[in-house]
Amino acid sequence: MAVDPKEFELEYFKKNGFIRQKCKVCGTHFWSQRISDVCGESPCVENTFIENTPTTLHLDLNGVRETFLNFFNKNGHTIIEPYPVVCRWRDDLLVTIASIVDFQPYVTNGELPPPANPLVVSQPCLRFEDIDNVGVTSGRHLTIFEMGGAHAFNYPEKEVYWKDKTVEYHHELITKVFGVKSEKISYKEHLWSGGGNAGPAVEAIVDGLEISTLVFMCYKMENGHWVPTIVRTVDTGYGLERWAWLSLGTPTAFHAIFGPLLPKFMEIMGVECENRVLIETGKLSGALNVENPNLSNQTREKVAKRLGFSVEEYMRRIEPFEKVCTVLDHTKALAFLLAEGVVPSNVKTGYLARMLLRRIYRILYEFKCENQLLELLGYQIDYWGKFFRNIEISRNEILKLAQIEVEKYKRTLEREMEILIKKLNNLRKEGKREVPREVIVEAYESHGIHPMQLKEQAMKLGLITNIPQDFFSSIIKMHTRKTAEIEEKDELETILLEKKIPSTEKLFYEDPKLLQFKAKVIHVHNNYIVLDRTAFYAESGGQLSDIGKITWKDREGVVKYVKKIGGIIVHEVEGATPPLNTEIIGYVDKERREQLSIHHTATHIINGAARKVLGEHVWQAGAQKDVKEARLDITHYTNITEEEIKRIEEIANEIVRKNIQVEIYTLPRLEAEKRYGYRLYQGGVVPGREIRVIKIGDHDVEACGGTHVLNTGEIGFIKVVKVEHIQDGVERIVFVAGKAALEKVQEAFGILKDVSRKMQIPPEKIVESVEKIIKENEEIRRKIKKYSKRLSEYALPYIKEKAEILSGIRLYYVVNNDLDESTHIEIGSTAIEEIQNLLYCALIPLNNVVQVVVFSGKQAQEKGISAKDVANFVAKILDGAAGGDKRFGRGGGKNIDKLNIIKDKLIEYLKDKRCE
RNA sequence: GGGCCGGUAGUUCAGCGGUAGAAUACCCGACUUGCACUCGGGAGGUCGCGGGUUCAAAUCCCGCCCGGUCCA
């Protein structure tokens, strides 16, 4: 989609003398009051604000945040609290990457009203796609940053403000509040798109630095075309870190963001760097980008020249500093992630936390201070905890999760390093001098050993390692395979949408005990029917669907499955299907519903209990409630112990015995979030503007659409059946409740009784007895093995006697299955040692096949008799095949009918052989 | 969620269609004898689980489980 230039012809620009111009370097159009042939953004120009701030107000990040919020507040925007950095309210994103994410999709698509309109928020955001640039670009790239979002949501019936006012606010803040001269600012034309939305945008540039992006979201993608949206959203992103950097004019943004933490981290890591090196780097840092190595290298040369250094000398000075910055950024991001209960693991946000921690650890290791990782994390908590209360509150949780993860990483490194050393030693033995690329890739991908760590080890062993410049990007390319995701819409879904069938009235919410109801059929499609109202619960939230029957007149249909399509509930009916507009009576299977409800409420109770026993990092990672049993997956960093399970069981059953009322009520989404926090979203995303809250005393509160019991006492009893380790960071608790629990216990006792009766041993002696049996079994197995060996010795005289003498060789030929193949091998191999002119030939008929074992003694071999050939000869008669060598051959075939002619043919064959 | 690597003796691994191996630790013996070393012998395995192909599977194919790791 190309943007119509008209989109940018703002009244505000015209009235204030902004002129549209084109940058001769990058070709972008921009608006500025000053005539210039360049757009003003680095790398088209240098960063001129360094050591030469254009502002009259000088603030660090915390100051900028306050000023920004107050400015918009004074201009009619309501300040709202930032959302979490882990965006659990959406299933299409792992982390909050922009302030607008807080309001997508329900606010931006008009389904929900915003918490205020207009509003302003300073939203901590995480972004990982530029992680390799963090530290090397003087702070232009960060994994964690605050996006100042001033948002206005414009509805057809209610216009708040649009482009002109947005630019005006921005311009006023930067000029009147921060005191930048108006002509210093240029606004670059840009098209923004993301998350299925798009719109024109302007990027605000001051003295080389892009400080804000003002987006006017007004299109959405529909059937491959951009169409206007109903709600037009002002989506501004003020880069607060950059505003702070600009206003202080410090050599890097890290100075402005981290203040006293920067010198502290430098001291701990033992890093020093002259200011002039940082200043000269900062001026040109707009051209530094690891994804563009050519430009970066040129820029490095340029900076080195200005400083009067060789490139090597310059890099030696700047690189350690850059690593300090990376650590500063990463430890902050890690603290924010862990504060929200993210358990480091190998999936999703857990992986992001792990990656950050490992990067930090590796850098600190380089500076020999890896043991101070937790200390550094502590400083971040001290510093940011003052402004973000949850960081301070979660201090212990953050440090504990980090500590456990460090220990895990150390263990992994130790183990994997040993494997690597072995491999490197092998390379050396093979006479190689350089580590091949495959080995570097394998070490990194399969064993988590960073190329730098590999290089260090290889050097010790005298091997050269050349890490390709594009190593990481090539790995990423290997992984990214674009798969066109085409969501196939159900045929039924399409029809329901087209016919505009209304949402079904959900009787199971109004009265969870209602199991019999009257309703009218409003749509029929094959054996699927839609009613105007229903008490049948449709499968969702891990709770299985209800079943039952419907009757009308004198007819009856069985409801075997119920599903939800949007707000419409569809019943799959077997047997007779009622015609349209029939009045029916529905009967919900009572036992199943009760059991599912019991399991569902029990799941919430177990979840709360697990959180109490294991810690605040416990989140539901998945759940399924079946009739027979239920399971709950939770995030946790280590295997749950027997003791912990016992405590969870105890707490859960205590809640049951207290017979607490299960409160169910709906709240406006924002109200619910405000009252109970994002912990509500245990079961994942809950769409819609109203949230159904399930509250069990002060034990647990969750947003949930399932059916529940009225009082916890109805559950009767909860028993954990087993605990499984699903994946790193996720544990599964399988449990039973209510009647299913009774059945499970009865079943367990039944098994015990059966075993006891069969073994004729009292239950309490079973374990002891089984141990004995296992031991005896092992002994027997050993004996058989020993005996078959002995058998080969004892068999010798027998074989000598039975073997037929055929001019010079002796043939021992046997057809039966008294002995198995391995025994024949044992006997045969011993026999030919003793009787060197022996040809040992055993045919073992088994079910439908015959196995052939042939041994040929030394003398027999000399006479040209090869065991392999004999085996092959025999096997061919049996329509099979054989292999081996001249001493030992084995094979077989399927044609059992030929079994009786083999001996004659074999003797003939041997005669022929000796004629040769 | 996807990709890759791995699962064989107590341990570390080799074997990669045709009798399951090495090293190390273990047990016994010899030489020594303070220990170590050396030598000889022994014991130790449902080759992760389940299917399939084959006369024959640790080995090839498919599915699953477990461990590790990278990416989203």
Side-chain angles (χ1 to χ4, degrees), chain A residues 153-223:
Chain A
F153 305 92
N154 296 296
Y155 300 89
E157 67 279 8
K158 192 198 166 205
E159 182 82 8
V160 182
Y161 65 80
W162 194 230
K163 295 177 190 170
D164 287 278
K165 197 73 187 162
T166 305
V167 176
E168 190 183 330
Y169 281 139
H170 183 271
H171 210 69
E172 202 180 314
L173 181 64
I174 189 67
T175 54
K176 297 214 175 115
V177 180
F178 279 82
V180 175
K181 286 194 186 112
S182 184
E183 61 269 24
K184 273 196 176 252
I185 301 146
S186 37
Y187 292 97
K188 286 175 80 167
E189 294 181 3
H190 183 69
L191 167 75
W192 174 90
S193 74
N197 287 115
V202 291
E203 293 171 342
I205 318 292
V206 178
D207 282 357
L209 188 66
E210 178 193 342
I211 54 168
S212 316
T213 304
L214 313 175
V215 179
F216 307 105
M217 241 172 75
C218 56
Y219 297 107
K220 65 175 172 184
M221 180 65 94
E222 215 174 82
N223 300 326

Side-chain angles (χ1 to χ4, degrees), chain A residues 483-498:
Chain A
T483 42
E485 256 182 62
I486 303 159
E487 235 179 83
E488 269 183 57
K489 264 194 186 162
D490 204 75
E491 184 196 3
L492 183 59
E493 193 173 341
T494 321
I495 294 169
L496 292 177
L497 280 175
E498 269 172 17

Side-chain angles (χ1 to χ4, degrees), chain A residues 473-486:
Chain A
S473 48
S474 72
I475 293 242
I476 289 164
K477 267 178 211 143
M478 267 163 59
H479 284 290
T480 31
R481 186 183 302 158
K482 281 189 183 156
T483 42
E485 256 182 62
I486 303 159

Side-chain angles (χ1 to χ4, degrees), chain A residues 40-93:
Chain A
E41 184 179 7
S42 64
C44 300
V45 299
E46 290 187 17
N47 288 328
T48 52
F49 65 91
I50 289 180
E51 292 289 290
N52 181 27
T53 170
T55 68
T56 54
L57 187 63
H58 310 295
L59 299 168
D60 70 358
L61 175 60
N62 297 316
V64 168
R65 184 191 309 118
E66 201 188 329
T67 307
F68 165 79
L69 291 172
N70 286 339
F71 171 80
F72 278 98
N73 190 233
K74 264 184 227 152
N75 284 290
H77 293 65
T78 308
I79 299 175
I80 67 159
E81 286 296 307
Y83 280 52
V85 293
V86 178
C87 63
R88 307 198 201 242
W89 61 92
R90 287 181 66 165
D91 54 8
D92 56 339
L93 279 176

Side-chain angles (χ1 to χ4, degrees), chain A residues 320-375:
Chain A
F321 178 83
E322 289 173 354
K323 284 175 178 163
V324 173
C325 293
T326 309
V327 170
L328 269 170
D329 167 86
H330 287 10
T331 43
K332 180 185 175 188
L334 183 62
F336 272 70
L337 271 174
L338 298 182
E340 289 178 18
V342 171
V343 177
S345 74
N346 55 4
V347 290
K348 301 191 175 173
T349 44
Y351 178 68
L352 299 177
R354 170 166 290 174
M355 177 174 67
L356 283 172
L357 184 132
R358 290 186 172 188
R359 287 173 66 102
I360 298 164
Y361 186 89
R362 280 197 292 262
I363 294 173
L364 295 182
Y365 182 83
E366 236 180 277
F367 291 87
K368 301 196 168 49
C369 55
E370 71 275 15
N371 292 327
Q372 274 151 298
L373 194 149
L374 293 182
E375 187 187 334

